[in-house]
Amino acid sequence: MTSRDALDRRPARQRILVLVRAVLVVLCLVAAFVVAMPGSARAEEVRWTWPTPAPHDVVAPFDAPDTPYGPGHRGIDIAVTGEGAAVHAVDSGTVRFTGSVAGRPVVSVRHADGLISTYEPVAGEVVEGQTVRAGDVLGRITPGGTRSHCAQMCLHLGARRAQGYVDPMVLLGARGPSVLLPLAHHGAPGARDAVDAGP
């Protein structure tokens, strides 16, 4: 091999070395992004505020149905101090419905991210189409249907998007490690929570 051949091969080796280094840098960046993802996903999940003042005693947790029309609990039940307790919007949005569904007073709010929050039994103090901010009073707990749903006075808080129901506890930041929500996991409205089917 002549000295000229050695010189011709050296740039090729340098190019390969540069390429290998670039690939390693990209792989390191991808790995760093994947490691950081759970924390940032959790920050996105925790975006709702509680609709009632503390303490937040959840007397019935979310229980996704196995099938779209199967039994389950498509929301959470939060103990409240009694009739007339104020219920606040969990996030900013537009009032989608206020009225009665299956004999129970309901308020629902559509949020900018496509989620719909539902509150029952709540006698609404807002009107359809009204813009609300997080923390605004939507209405007050009324006895209509409360004791048939809970063993005590409670607020049923539901969360849904077009694809199905979501556990409100994830949005409130009160449940374990970060979990990415599936696009279509939870079932459609069923008999137990028919209230969520309308508003």
Side-chain angles (χ1 to χ4, degrees):
M1 178 186 294
T2 66
S3 58
R4 180 179 178 133
D5 291 335
L7 287 174
D8 288 343
R9 289 180 182 216
R10 188 171 177 195
R13 287 183 189 157
Q14 285 178 340
R15 285 194 299 269
I16 291 171
L17 186 58
V18 168
L19 181 62
V20 168
R21 285 182 182 162
V23 168
L24 288 174
V25 167
V26 169
L27 289 174
C28 288
L29 289 173
V30 169
F33 177 77
V34 169
V35 168
M37 227 169 109
S40 59
R42 180 161 179 79
E44 283 297 308
E45 290 169 1
V46 182
R47 57 183 177 265
W48 278 13
T49 58
W50 286 87
T52 56
H56 304 122
D57 183 15
V58 176
V59 295
F62 179 79
D63 180 19
D66 293 329
T67 62
Y69 298 99
H73 190 229
R74 296 164 175 85
I76 59 172
D77 294 338
I78 307 165
V80 293
T81 54
E83 183 180 343
V87 175
H88 304 267
V90 293
D91 194 7
S92 298
T94 303
V95 177
R96 182 174 181 266
F97 178 84
T98 181
S100 182
V101 176
R104 293 180 286 192
V106 177
V107 175
S108 69
V109 177
R110 182 183 297 278
H111 307 285
D113 58 4
L115 282 166
I116 296 173
S117 57
T118 58
Y119 315 77
E120 68 101 346
V122 175
E125 297 178 1
V126 290
V127 296
E128 292 178 33
Q130 180 177 337
T131 300
V132 294
R133 293 175 299 175
D136 284 354
V137 173
L138 298 174
R140 300 192 178 274
I141 293 289
T142 181
T146 302
R147 296 200 184 276
S148 66
H149 189 78
C150 299
Q152 64 189 87
M153 192 73 75
C154 74
L155 167 71
H156 176 82
L157 173 65
R160 67 185 175 95
R161 61 174 85 243
Q163 294 86 355
Y165 290 84
V166 176
D167 185 350
M169 294 297 283
V170 174
L171 300 164
L172 292 165
R175 172 163 291 171
S178 176
V179 176
L180 295 177
L181 300 174
L183 290 177
H185 171 69
H186 303 299
R192 179 168 179 183
D193 289 312
V195 63
D196 289 329

